[in-house]
Amino acid sequence: MGADRGGRGRRAPARVMAYAAGGVLLLAGCASMPDSGDLRGVESTPRQDTQVRVFAVPPGEDAQPSEIVQGFLEALTSDDPHYKTARQYLTGDAAKTWRPELSTTVLTDGPGAKAEGAGAGGREDTGEISYMLTGTKVATVDAQQSYAPATGAYGRTVHLTQDEKSGQWRIDALPQGVVMGESDFQRNYMSVNKYYFASNTTVAGADTQPTTVADPVYVRRRVDPMTQMVRSVLSGPTRWLGPVVRSSFPTGTALPKDVGALTPDDRNKLTVPLNGKAAGVGTNRCEEMAAQLLFTLHSLSPAVDEVELRAGGAELCSLTQKGADAAVFRSSVRRPDYLYFVDAKDRLVRIPAGSSDTKPDPAPGALGEGDTALRSVAVSRDEHTAAGVSLDGKSLYVGSLVSGGSLGEPVLRSHGPTEKDRLTTPSWDAHDGLWVADRDPDNPRLLLLEEGKGDPLEVRMPHLDGRIQAVRVAADGVRIALVVDKGGKKTLLIGLIEREGKPGEQSAVRVVELRSATPELEEITAMSWAGDSRLVVVGREHGGVEQMRYVQVDGSTPDVPAPAALTGVKEVTAAEDDQLPLVAYSVDGIVRLPSGAQWQKVTEGTAPVYPG
């Protein structure tokens, strides 16, 4: 719950100290909330440097009810690890039962607050009073730290009583969780990927390697995030992702109750003590456990280069970052060799990924060397096979990226009446599965060709409302991004891929748990995966102009700069390796965006793709 810290010439009931590099900033002079009359906003703190530290102070002696509520709201936006100061604004019983960790509700601004009248909640002269907190919801973060966009009005009541002996006012009833404005949330919280393994899938040709899946959660930025993240990994995946992933940590594994903050030593080695549930695990499983933590802690500071797991005072295993990369498959570690696209002659061509080359070479194989005209392409992640959709959108071809190879008959045909009603750009998963949507109005389908051949399997979509316009499968093979058209509104949905069936038999495949990743955009024109849990999208808001931005799979906006503006974007592609440039097809042809630079024209062409 945020408050306006700018000051309006009124008595300041609470002060919050903020320390930053280069000086000390005193945030004071909060606007008081009226005991009656019109609703006044308790505004969120303006966006500040995330390095600012905010410290709350306890309630002043003889503080009035409005000052108690205001001070409590302020304390919730501080860096107090266990909300000890915030609890001082509550009665003893309320402090014991209030559980701030259950949820965080994010509002456009901080909550407005209005004292309710005698008929609704009492007045000060009765020894009790209620305040209604209101606002417009932006998002919620649940007890699992999982973010979800939200809309609509927020309204909750806090009730205060006056102690008969001391005369002090305190809050004795309040909603569980915390509430704050969006800018306070951005200052207090950060998104971190925790990692699990895809269940029921393995990387083709590497059956011993489990595949990592990112599970983004929000943690408090300056409240020992390293220990927070270790606890979060041990507690298991979020509810949304849970059905398609597994954890190598045995059920019930946790940090010992008396453990303090986890900090790596001077060699960047982090020792993690575990309870008895982890004792006795084998070396391979222990290394998977360590890999989960290494990948999770990779983006935090200080750096962690090695994790040692211990239980019952004995070492279970130790794993370095290099060892983790060798033990499991993580898509962002694999760097593609080439960027592919369709040239002016409608053939598949390529240039080395990340290079400054502007002259492409024909891709080896029939799609690059033959005479089949293409409108879109996809290249398998091992860059051994390519798929292409014919210029009219009717036919899907699959061919080897080996010179001299023949193409053969199409593996799939669409009977849609127009080009826009036929096949989408295909997409390969990490297991050589080829995905494509047929937009035929009379028979719209999402199809999967295992290893890019054989009879296409129709993927069940029990909760799809609309027609698929674009498909991109994540490298982990368990998440899929879809652009879905309903009534002319094109939205980006993220779903989970579930497989049922015995090994060696054709699986029944379905996409479930679809959720929006861009609720504020109503016209998505292009999208691509751009990391373990991030996508880049091109779209527009209602009545707005076209824009390119990054989004998280949970619908939040990552704390990274948006790509430089580019007009007339028709297609976009990004690699899981964020060191490689973003590439797009626009009115200027094929263009790329190197890190720290502006968009640069590469050459004429269409349909750029990195492998995947």
Side-chain angles (χ1 to χ4, degrees):
M1 304 179 196
D4 177 8
R5 299 187 178 95
R8 298 180 186 174
R10 298 175 182 246
R11 179 180 177 185
R15 288 176 172 79
V16 179
M17 301 294 291
Y19 295 89
V24 178
L25 175 65
L26 175 63
L27 300 180
C30 307
S32 63
M33 292 171 292
D35 294 343
S36 62
D38 296 337
L39 179 70
R40 291 179 183 269
V42 181
E43 300 167 5
S44 181
T45 307
R47 183 68 185 270
Q48 298 169 350
D49 189 326
T50 57
Q51 298 304 312
V52 170
R53 297 297 303 272
V54 177
F55 300 91
V57 295
E61 188 175 354
D62 299 325
Q64 295 303 299
S66 62
E67 297 169 333
I68 293 295
V69 177
Q70 173 102 27
F72 178 72
L73 301 182
E74 289 283 2
L76 294 183
T77 67
S78 75
D79 301 319
D80 187 346
H82 304 291
Y83 298 98
K84 291 181 179 179
T85 303
R87 293 182 194 275
Q88 295 182 45
Y89 289 87
L90 312 180
T91 63
D93 289 341
K96 292 176 182 178
T97 58
W98 178 55
R99 298 183 59 190
E101 73 280 359
L102 284 184
S103 67
T104 299
T105 301
V106 186
L107 307 180
T108 304
D109 296 305
K114 182 179 181 180
E116 297 185 325
R123 299 293 302 164
E124 289 187 46
D125 54 10
T126 68
E128 61 178 316
I129 189 169
S130 294
Y131 281 85
M132 174 63 73
L133 306 181
T134 61
T136 302
K137 290 186 289 187
V138 173
T140 59
V141 177
D142 64 17
Q144 291 188 312
Q145 302 162 302
S146 178
Y147 181 101
T151 58
Y154 172 85
R156 294 292 187 274
T157 299
V158 294
H159 183 267
L160 294 84
T161 58
Q162 186 176 29
D163 185 88
E164 293 182 359
K165 293 182 180 180
S166 67
Q168 300 297 317
W169 286 93
R170 292 294 183 267
I171 298 170
D172 67 341
L174 72 164
Q176 297 292 349
V178 300
V179 184
M180 63 181 63
E182 188 171 16
S183 60
D184 279 322
F185 177 77
Q186 292 167 343
R187 174 177 55 79
N188 276 276
Y189 288 80
M190 65 179 179
S191 179
V192 182
N193 288 331
K194 58 179 182 174
Y195 286 86
Y196 298 95
F197 298 117
S199 55
N200 304 321
T201 57
T202 55
V203 180
D207 292 341
T208 58
Q209 282 192 317
T211 303
T212 62
V213 184
D215 191 8
V217 293
Y218 272 84
V219 296
R220 296 176 71 189
R221 191 182 297 271
R222 283 172 293 276
V223 183
D224 190 11
M226 190 166 292
T227 307
Q228 284 189 74
M229 287 309 303
V230 171
R231 292 187 189 277
S232 186
V233 171
L234 299 182
S235 68
T238 58
R239 283 193 239 1
W240 181 76
L241 192 64
V244 296
V245 297
R246 64 174 178 83
S247 175
S248 288
F249 287 92
T251 302
T253 301
L255 296 176
K257 293 182 179 180
D258 59 349
V259 71
L262 300 177
T263 306
D265 61 21
D266 55 6
R267 295 182 294 118
N268 295 334
K269 177 180 178 180
L270 180 69
T271 299
V272 181
L274 303 172
N275 63 11
K277 296 290 186 179
V281 298
T283 301
N284 289 343
R285 183 171 183 178
C286 183
E287 289 185 349
E288 288 186 5
M289 293 157 57
Q292 284 183 244
L293 294 180
L294 276 167
F295 290 140
T296 298
L297 303 176
H298 176 72
S299 62
L300 299 182
S301 179
V304 176
D305 295 330
E306 182 178 359
V307 163
E308 177 185 311
L309 300 181
R310 302 181 67 86
E315 180 181 334
L316 299 176
C317 68
S318 184
L319 188 69
T320 64
Q321 187 72 52
K322 184 176 181 180
D325 291 339
V328 303
F329 173 81
R330 184 182 178 201
S331 60
S332 55
V333 175
R334 173 179 286 180
R335 185 183 178 92
D337 294 327
Y338 293 96
L339 167 74
Y340 298 82
F341 57 94
V342 175
D343 68 5
K345 297 181 180 180
D346 303 319
R347 305 292 187 268
L348 178 61
V349 296
R350 67 187 188 183
I351 58 176
S355 75
S356 58
D357 292 1
T358 58
K359 183 178 180 181
D361 295 318
L367 292 178
E369 300 170 344
D371 55 5
T372 300
L374 304 173
R375 64 179 295 179
S376 64
V377 293
V379 175
S380 64
R381 295 180 185 274
D382 61 11
E383 300 187 61
H384 293 165
T385 311
V389 174
S390 60
L391 197 58
D392 59 10
K394 287 184 177 181
S395 303
L396 175 65
Y397 295 92
V398 176
S400 172
L401 288 174
V402 176
S403 293
S406 59
L407 193 58
E409 293 297 311
V411 297
L412 180 66
R413 293 184 187 272
S414 172
H415 300 288
T418 69
E419 287 185 19
K420 292 183 178 180
D421 295 322
R422 295 168 186 161
L423 300 177
T424 66
T425 299
S427 177
W428 294 88
D429 62 30
H431 322 294
D432 285 341
L434 182 61
W435 298 70
V436 67
D438 187 350
R439 297 173 287 190
D440 183 349
D442 295 328
N443 189 24
R445 302 173 294 166
L446 177 62
L447 301 168
L448 168 63
L449 290 89
E450 300 286 5
E451 298 182 0
K453 58 187 178 183
D455 294 331
L457 173 67
E458 184 168 348
V459 178
R460 289 180 290 163
M461 304 278 290
H463 302 294
L464 178 67
D465 187 13
R467 187 165 54 144
I468 298 173
Q469 298 296 315
V471 179
R472 291 291 185 274
V473 183
D476 53 54
V478 299
R479 296 172 301 170
I480 187 169
L482 305 170
V483 174
V484 176
D485 186 346
K486 180 185 178 183
K489 180 179 179 180
K490 296 179 181 178
T491 58
L492 175 62
L493 303 179
I494 310 296
L496 302 178
I497 299 170
E498 289 188 342
R499 299 171 183 260
E500 300 174 354
K502 297 179 180 179
E505 298 180 357
Q506 188 177 51
S507 301
V509 182
R510 62 178 187 161
V511 173
V512 297
E513 299 292 339
L514 287 167
R515 64 182 188 183
S516 174
T518 54
E520 73 283 8
L521 297 180
E522 67 172 26
E523 185 66 25
I524 302 295
T525 56
M527 60 88 179
S528 171
W529 288 92
D532 288 341
S533 65
R534 183 184 304 168
L535 298 98
V536 59
V537 300
V538 180
R540 69 181 75 240
E541 297 178 359
H542 178 70
V545 298
E546 183 181 89
Q547 56 185 281
M548 186 181 297
R549 66 168 68 168
Y550 292 109
V551 299
Q552 294 278 92
V553 294
D554 57 12
S556 65
T557 301
D559 191 16
V560 296
L566 180 66
T567 58
V569 180
K570 301 176 182 179
E571 295 167 272
V572 65
T573 186
E576 279 86 0
D577 182 349
D578 59 12
Q579 299 302 308
L580 292 177
L582 201 62
V583 180
Y585 162 48
S586 74
V587 293
D588 295 316
I590 302 296
V591 294
R592 61 186 165 211
L593 182 63
S595 178
Q598 295 299 311
W599 287 99
Q600 303 170 355
K601 181 168 182 176
V602 178
T603 186
E604 295 300 324
T606 62
V609 293
Y610 284 107

